[in-house]
């Protein structure tokens, strides 16, 4: 662990503050010979960007990214791939009212105490704007996975108490992008959107659950004992802003069943050995077993609400805060590509690591 | 990530198979000058060992450990601390019936495919016996934390559907060790024990939830953005055998509340700035805020059941398996010290890392 | 090791090709609270830049750098410090004649075979232009060392056979910058310059030795057994382009003395315990002992010469190459700040690591 | 860097003090499927062990090692390989006279200051006895390299001023083991032995140079820019006790030649593209080019001499020391397998890393 780097062989190091000059990163360890698809990655960024619909923040940021190295005539060369997105409106807004104040459930207080200084403009490094770097690097990872036919697809499974209560294999995940909440069931999607509109009117916020499904993983990814595939995925997800929980396969629901009910029975099918059920979530003993890998990620409601809140300032004096600007009533739709990106980073890294398993 | 090492500055590398010559590890980075308390660590092992009560496996293993280096006249010297537990009965049992067979929801199949070879005696490296190394290293980490007055206490919160539904600060955690299930509420503990006895009679197994509470953490631990304290804790827990879920603070329940309900309001009390509620679970922006850190860990039922199960062998042929030997109907009581140990490893590492935060 | 990252707690990850869009890097782990001195770092770059005198390459590159993150109101915040230098004339020259050809003693052949593709423009990643990133990061490291009164000073000790044969403590190192070869003895400097002028007229190149001296190091830096201070310094130096040798203290000359002649006798002086001689080079058992640390670094002659050379192309066909453009007849003067920078990176990292030595 | 671990994918973590219970280590990342040759490794230890001839220390240590994990029915399983050598006579000698005293050019003073405590028995962790772990792990690495036909051979090139002044390709390296000094030229070997006998009689010590030659390396090993193959090798060698210098290929001698004289001209021979000369030492741009890799390592005279020496104790008081026991007058013959082992660790790691170079 080292804070701003992620991965062992396919390694992202990210940088940037919300209102600093730029956000970006370096990918060290991308294999040579990969055809870079800039449009694909720019489109991944579009899935994350603010202002994409009326239920996300209305801030306009174009988030055009640039590769600075590691690619020659459209092909990766094996050298570090640096990239950046310039922050367009980095001085457009006055954040001086936050200079001395600690917003509830934000990182203001903890950064201040940890470092003795903090960039209070738009949250600085603790802003979810930092995930721009993850989505770009995740896009590159997805291109690697595509070469191996591995897909990573996330969708919004729950917003508040509105829940898409179906197993993913009964869903058409290609429909996820067909609505602004990124839920592959149109009816539930519509309910979610209506609910978020309500919440927004109240000046409040709401959280939810994203499910991510990884298909066509080869058997053998994951590095026991500490770097089990599930541990690496959980670590990746819990490093995303606002995430409070992670579960894989049967997850927390596993407590409601006996071993005899939950065990996944092996069988020999057309594609070789697989399991009749998949309560393991595609991972056994920390290693992928070839079945779909699926997991849930819980996001808390956005901490910034459009209501007055009590707090204290850095002198310990009581204050009343009122949010300014345009904020997300619900981050879920924009978090879908972030979840996919972090999962893709894990899978690409594990794929490379697995090349050393055998002599 | 590198598989068998955990941590950056306070780093454990573990080794050993269930029925190999020994289980052990090396702690690299333990600061010099720590008084070693061998009895304390031996007692931690006793909390983990099999045969400790009638609701755990009846295998008898003494698990006496030995330090091999890094300690001089009872004090750590700053050099690597190696330790080992000899496996006593390493050849006492015949596992040849497992040689070619894949047990459901075990790691037999995935290890075989990943490495092309597996030690099938008692699960080899995938056996939970490997956690012996974690408990010893976690014990050393706890001694470091004690120097800073930080406590790490876990307990069984749920077994099957039997749940201790109280906030931890309403519980007397010193009572956790007073019963064999390690639940600090005697009445619920008693129900849990009765339930496990039933399950055991059925030849079945059951899972549950362990909650862990860390008190007196200084403000400022955790290394954003990827190594947030919550991410590091989640990664640690999800690397434990049989864990399917992790949640911190409000966890998955956060979806049931609005931002205005869930935000933790800062206030200035006798001990300085803290929060009125603690839905954040002691971590904001990935950094400890001085409030108690608490999280839940979901364990699935043990995969080995005393019932016939269908499966396949390594030729893809259908087989019927029947477990032999003595197994845990529920791992929860023995997993309590393991959860604490992994949490202590994270906290000790983060404590050392935080020494470099400021110039 | 991971190729493009250097350091554990104070960690540089660098990126960039000679003729790509930019050269730069990310420093992860710079402590918060450091006053950034941009002018100082820009001046360090000036010491490295081409065209600084008639004995270096006549290419003109301004090498203006920009910080992209991690600094707020002139102070480091503890978050990653990204920086870049835009490559000004990235398309000014035609390198297509190198596309298929392997220059002798360059990295063309090995990059091509390792990665299956190479950016042949100006050497791509293997160009010494990459060291721009090291000098910027090294400048930040020097600022940290300044806070602890630690100095890092390198100078040219030998060019070809012309040698400054004096112990560093008999030299006035403040004179190093007073001449274009960066040798603190004016007479020897003058001889070196004349020799390089000759070599340049011949279209040939020459190497030499740089000595680096680190003063005021605290006792206790270096992490045995593999990360001894001398090993870390050697690793840093041998990663610089064209370096063929490293020696510390008595170095290779140690073979000419007996133990009784070479041992450094301890004595107790005004400043506490120190040694009468310093054949150890300030490091004993891999750990700094408070005496000056000094080491030599051997640079081979620049591989690009202004003479015809035979070689082969990527089809294995014999060719004759003739260098174009403007190249250094001797890299030594420009390598002085690079050596200092790499040494400063090591010392800053070891300083932070040493904070965890004691409980 | 983390002190007691070496390597990225093939990683050794070592432990142990000279007079503690045991010396050993864990290899994490050894690929599965390697046939383990215990006799070969035991023989490597025999090449390192004390008492092997009259010109080494007369201490008798059998150094019998044991594997504790990671091997099943003689084959590696991909899980960590732990090993140990019990220290036989750990309490046989009284070192209490060293408790408060700092031996010249030893690590006593620096360990004491760094950690505030030191194990003074036989040097504790700073003893060269620690290299037992390196030789065992290096033996495993050599077995991997054998699978790829790569050989690693070191020999004594110089003792004091007695030098074997021939290029390695004019030597029969299979003769290295034919004499007790490990020099493949019998006449020079004989002179070296006579000289060491003299030095021993004087109660003095002497150093020298070991050359190491690696043949049949594939093209493409080494990870630029910081982890160049030469940097990794230098880092490995400079971490060995008593090493003061490292040079590869033309080394420090490169200063005596012009670029036109030193460049290695490519040619196309029977085995494909190679170079006419090999001043590069088999590495170009930090990457192996398929030519033999060769480098020199300078060892200073052993610090412990059989003569009275002045020093100070930990109160800063002047003392006179006199060595007891049996020590090496010259470590070179015993250092040959250590040099080979560290080189083998580097090569095995780089071999695994290179598997991720291409998509």
């Amino acid at each position: 662990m080292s804070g701003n780097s992620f991965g062992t062989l396919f390694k992202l190091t990210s940088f940037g503050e919300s209102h600093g000059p730029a956000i970006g990163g370096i990918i060290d360890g991308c294999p040579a010979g990969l055809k870079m698809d800039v449009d694909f990655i720019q489109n991944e960024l579009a899935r994350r960007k603010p202002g994409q619909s009326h239920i996300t923040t209305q801030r306009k940021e174009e988030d055009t990214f640039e590769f600075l190295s590691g690619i020659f005539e459209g092909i990766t060369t094996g050298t570090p791939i640096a990239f950046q997105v310039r922050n367009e409106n980095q001085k457009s807004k006055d954040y001086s009212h936050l200079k001395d104040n600690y917003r509830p459930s934000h990182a203001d207080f903890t950064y201040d105490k940890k470092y003795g200084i903090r960039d209070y403009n738009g949250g600085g490094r603790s802003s979810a704007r930092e995930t721009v770097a993850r989505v770009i690097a995740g896009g590159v990872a997805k291109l690697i996975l595509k070469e191996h036919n591995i897909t990573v697809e996330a969708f919004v499974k729950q917003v508040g108490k509105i829940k898409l209560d179906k197993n993913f294999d009964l869903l058409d995940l290609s429909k996820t992008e067909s609505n602004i909440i990124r839920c592959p069931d149109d009816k539930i999607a519509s309910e979610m959107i209506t609910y978020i509109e309500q919440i927004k009117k109240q000046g409040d916020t709401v959280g939810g659950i994203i499910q991510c499904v990884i298909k066509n993983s080869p058997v053998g990814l994951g590095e026991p004992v500490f770097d089990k595939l599930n541990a690496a995925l959980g670590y990746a997800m819990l490093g995303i802003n606002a995430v409070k929980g992670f579960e894989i396969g049967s997850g927390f629901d596993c407590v409601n069943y006996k071993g005899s009910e939950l065990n996944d029975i092996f069988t020999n099918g057309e594609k070789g050995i697989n399991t009749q059920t998949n309560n393991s979530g595609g991972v056994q003993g920390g290693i992928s077993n070839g079945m779909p890998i699926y997991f849930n990620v819980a996001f808390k409601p956005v901490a910034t609400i459009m209501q007055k809140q009590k707090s204290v300032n850095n002198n310990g004096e009581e204050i009343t805060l009122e949010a300014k600007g345009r904020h997300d009533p619900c981050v879920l739709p924009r978090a879908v590509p972030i979840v996919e990106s972090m999962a893709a980073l894990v899978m690409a890294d594990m794929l490379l690591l697995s090349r050393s398993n055998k002599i």
Side-chain angles (χ1 to χ4, degrees), chain A residues 241-262:
Chain A
N241 310 43
V243 170
K244 303 304 285 181
F246 170 88
E247 59 180 2
I248 189 161
S250 56
F252 276 89
D253 195 34
C254 72
V255 301
N256 296 314
Y257 298 89
K258 300 176 190 173
S260 60
E261 297 165 326
L262 213 64

Side-chain angles (χ1 to χ4, degrees), chain A residues 48-348:
Chain A
R48 196 214 74 99
K49 83 172 175 184
Q52 62 182 264
S53 79
H54 74 279
I55 58 167
T56 68
T57 171
Q58 293 307 296
R59 284 195 312 276
K60 293 287 180 199
E61 292 162 6
E62 277 314 309
D63 290 351
T64 307
F65 86 105
E66 177 191 19
F67 281 126
L68 298 174
S69 64
I71 297 164
F72 187 65
E73 298 179 345
I75 309 289
T76 60
T77 60
T79 64
I81 300 172
F83 55 85
Q84 66 174 357
V85 173
R86 286 275 162 181
N87 287 327
E88 291 171 357
N89 303 311
Q90 63 179 97
K91 284 174 185 168
S92 63
K93 196 179 155 188
D94 182 13
Y95 281 95
S96 59
H97 64 291
L98 291 180
K99 187 178 174 183
D100 304 320
N101 296 341
Y102 298 140
R103 291 169 298 164
S105 289
H106 272 278
D108 301 344
F109 171 70
T110 51
Y111 269 68
D112 217 10
K113 293 295 172 189
K114 183 179 184 68
Y115 299 114
I117 179 176
R118 82 186 156 98
D119 175 350
Y120 51 78
N121 291 317
R125 181 72 177 152
S126 72
S127 165
R129 184 153 175 70
E130 174 270 333
T131 57
V132 160
R134 306 184 186 207
V135 171
I136 295 169
V140 176
K142 279 187 176 180
L143 293 175
I144 294 174
L145 299 180
K146 268 186 196 176
E147 300 274 325
H148 296 82
N149 204 27
I150 303 168
T151 62
V152 178
E153 296 166 292
F155 60 91
V156 175
K157 188 180 179 66
Q158 186 167 351
V159 170
K161 291 176 184 170
I162 303 167
K163 187 173 180 180
L164 173 53
D165 212 357
K166 272 186 192 167
N167 195 306
F168 68 85
D169 51 18
L170 302 175
L171 299 171
D172 176 1
L173 298 186
S174 71
K175 289 178 64 181
T176 299
E177 294 298 310
S178 68
N179 58 59
I180 58 175
I181 187 67
R182 293 200 166 86
C183 174
D185 180 304
D186 277 342
K187 191 168 157 299
I188 306 282
S190 175
E191 289 175 42
M192 289 172 172
I193 293 166
T194 304
Y195 180 57
I196 295 172
E197 288 165 349
Q198 276 183 317
I199 286 289
K200 188 181 173 186
K201 270 185 207 149
Q202 297 168 13
D204 218 326
T205 58
V206 69
I209 293 173
I210 288 176
Q211 182 162 100
C212 184
V213 183
I214 303 169
K215 292 178 183 162
N216 302 325
S217 169
V219 185
L221 304 196
E223 296 294 322
V225 295
F226 297 116
D227 299 330
K228 292 186 169 83
L229 186 54
N230 39 319
L233 288 167
Y235 164 57
M237 296 304 138
L238 289 155
I240 300 174
N241 310 43
V243 170
K244 303 304 285 181
F246 170 88
E247 59 180 2
I248 189 161
S250 56
F252 276 89
D253 195 34
C254 72
V255 301
N256 296 314
Y257 298 89
K258 300 176 190 173
S260 60
E261 297 165 326
L262 213 64
N263 279 351
D264 293 318
I265 302 305
F266 284 109
T267 185
N268 197 347
E270 281 176 33
K271 297 179 182 175
I273 293 172
N274 56 40
T275 60
Q276 287 176 353
T277 50
N278 187 12
N279 294 312
S280 301
V283 183
Q284 291 176 326
I287 301 168
S288 63
N289 67 357
M291 296 293 288
I293 297 159
Y294 65 98
F295 55 84
N296 292 330
V297 187
F299 288 80
K300 69 169 186 170
V302 178
T304 302
I305 59 176
M306 295 292 122
Q307 300 179 6
K308 287 188 184 175
Q309 291 182 102
K310 296 218 160 171
S311 192
V312 301
N313 64 18
N314 57 15
N315 284 324
E317 298 158 340
E318 286 209 359
I319 55 169
T320 299
L321 282 170
E322 198 161 2
K324 298 177 183 178
R326 293 159 296 180
H327 298 275
D328 288 279
C330 177
V331 295
L332 276 282
R334 295 179 57 206
V336 165
I338 300 169
V339 164
E340 289 177 2
S341 292
M342 292 307 297
L345 288 176
V346 169
M347 294 301 289

